[in-house]
Amino acid sequence: MQTWFQKMLYGLLIFFTALFIVSCFFIRAEYIYAVYADNPLLEQQQWLIFLPLILILAALAFVLYRLCLKLEAYRPRTIIPLVLLGSFVIQLAIIFIFPRQPTDDSQTVLGLAMSMLYNGDYSTFQSGGYLHMFPFNYSIVLYLEALLAIFPDNYIVIKLFNILFMLLTTCMIYLIYKQLNPQRPSRDYGVLVFAATFIPALFMNNLIYNDVVGTSLLISGFYFALRFMREQRIKYIVFAAILLALGNYLRGIGVIFLIAIVITLLLRLRSIGWKKLLLSFVILGALFNVPSWTQNAWLQASGKVSGSVTANSAPVYMWLNMGINLQRFGFWDNMESYMIYQREADYQKAESAELYKQSIEQKLSEATPQQLAEMYYKKLIWTWTEGTYQLERYGIGTDGTAQDGLRMRGIMGSYSYTNPITELFAGNSPYRLGVLWIAYTVSFLMYVFMLIRLITSFRAKRYEEVSLVLVILGFIGFYLLWEIKSRYVFPVYPLLIVLSYMGFRDVYEWLLHRKGWSFLAVKQSTKRGEQ
């Protein structure tokens, strides 16, 4: 039964990954705010650009992997800090070269943090306020308020903390990889280098919001859960529970990680034992909602609010309603769903929930099965193959103007200052498009090598990566129903890196033993550094 269940999970992810790859042969998912504004695009694939990039980047990957093998002679205490330092320097350069200012939600939460800190203004929790509608975003407001209270009031400080959390994520990617490959004598610095130079991650630090911090905490919690499964020491599940709770508090998709961990623990029942299994469930369940409960209790006890902050917040049906849209296949619906809550229901949760249910029922009844199938296909393909996590808008940024007469400066944002490089990246310049094409093609290659790893594991009945498979499938299922942005699946990128690197490693080692590929071998130094 257990083996059958794991085979089914691997089979599902193999299907979705193959679907992403095949779709990329015909369709390119795009998001270029500077050119097309806030619209998801699915266009015909441009093979004259795509195919050469595949060949060039694949060849470059083999060269870099071979170079990383030469680092095997050096100790981790030397290589790991150097790689992280190099990544830090690159990310620091990016936030100064592209000094993107906060926009839309990030601008709002930062403004609220400043109002609360300097003016003691909590009116945003009242009817019509931002946190009345979205109380879950008080977590990022509180985080920003803490940084503003301790450090100088400057965007750079917040972005520096983003960089530090991103470096923590990089470390966690390496450690998760090592947890899944405990018997390998190789140090596999290649996965660390890949994680440290992953283009969307390098640019995402320009976004002052909960994505970077939430991803770091969730991935760290996931790592400690894996370590508990391997070493069965209770302190690791405590660490995992705390980090998952904090990560979920900042980025409310932690329940996907929690469910994946619980299912994986059940699959490891024989090795863990009933007592530790039940204790781990109690610890995970008891701590998961503590941050939210503590927040609500403090707000009410201090008189900031008079009742529960979620009493009249926007219901989950609002995002489910946004997720059903034939024209924009689940992408932001230009305030249509917001208006139901704000105008028709007058900020009342129960009343708006009923209106959303009616809207969802109407959409489903009016659409044909073929239209719904096409919408969900587009939704799936755009979300998972866009490949850049919308780094063009949230990482590179713009100068505050758009083509075709569109002027949405408050939403689009601008730079604190311009320089020759920001001018080179203006609009649809080849430099901006070039970065997006590279990130897109790297994402495609990651799916290719991930598919190879999944298939080889499936055929060999090797299911060590089942926890990663569960998380990815959880995200796929969730965002089939929810409103979409490719940025929303950013927390999964560390797991995609781990699986794709394992697949690439399998291909490299397979080629190494084929006739005519002996040049791939790297002579190892006999003076290997201490572990």
Side-chain angles (χ1 to χ4, degrees), residues 147-181:
L147 292 185
L148 293 171
I150 300 170
F151 300 99
D153 181 356
N154 194 294
Y155 296 150
I156 299 299
V157 171
I158 301 171
K159 292 179 180 182
L160 281 174
F161 271 86
N162 273 355
I163 292 175
L164 294 178
F165 276 106
M166 194 63 78
L167 293 177
L168 175 61
T169 302
T170 300
C171 285
M172 289 299 119
I173 292 171
Y174 184 64
L175 292 175
I176 288 171
Y177 174 86
K178 298 298 285 184
Q179 283 294 312
L180 295 173
N181 299 272

Side-chain angles (χ1 to χ4, degrees), residues 33 38 100-114 124 129-131 133-142 144 155 158 206-211 250-251 318-319 322 332 335 338 342 390 393-394 408-413 482-485 487-488:
Y33 197 99
D38 195 21
R100 183 184 183 274
Q101 292 183 324
T103 58
D104 43 274
D105 280 338
S106 62
Q107 186 178 44
T108 301
V109 295
L110 185 58
L112 291 174
M114 297 175 73
T124 182
Y130 180 81
L131 293 183
M133 187 173 181
F134 307 118
F136 53 82
N137 270 345
Y138 181 58
S139 57
I140 187 62
V141 172
L142 195 61
L144 294 173
Y155 296 150
I158 301 171
N206 251 336
L207 176 61
I208 298 176
Y209 205 49
N210 55 16
D211 299 76
L250 279 159
R251 184 80 175 84
M318 184 182 78
W319 288 276
M322 270 193 270
W332 166 249
M335 295 291 292
Y338 276 27
Q342 294 174 343
Q390 296 174 273
R393 179 180 180 186
Y394 299 108
M408 304 170 66
R409 191 179 184 88
I411 297 176
M412 182 190 283
W482 207 253
E483 176 217 1
I484 60 165
K485 282 184 173 67
R487 175 173 64 85
Y488 289 169

Side-chain angles (χ1 to χ4, degrees), residues 17 36 95 191 235 299 392 438 474 505:
T17 308
Y36 305 111
I95 65 174
V191 68
K235 68 176 184 179
L299 286 170
E392 183 268 346
I438 291 171
R505 182 198 71 197

Side-chain angles (χ1 to χ4, degrees), residues 372-389:
L372 288 174
E374 183 179 347
M375 181 201 72
Y376 283 115
Y377 171 74
K378 289 180 178 179
K379 189 176 185 180
L380 184 70
I381 296 306
W382 186 85
T383 304
W384 290 93
T385 67
E386 190 272 335
T388 74
Y389 303 95

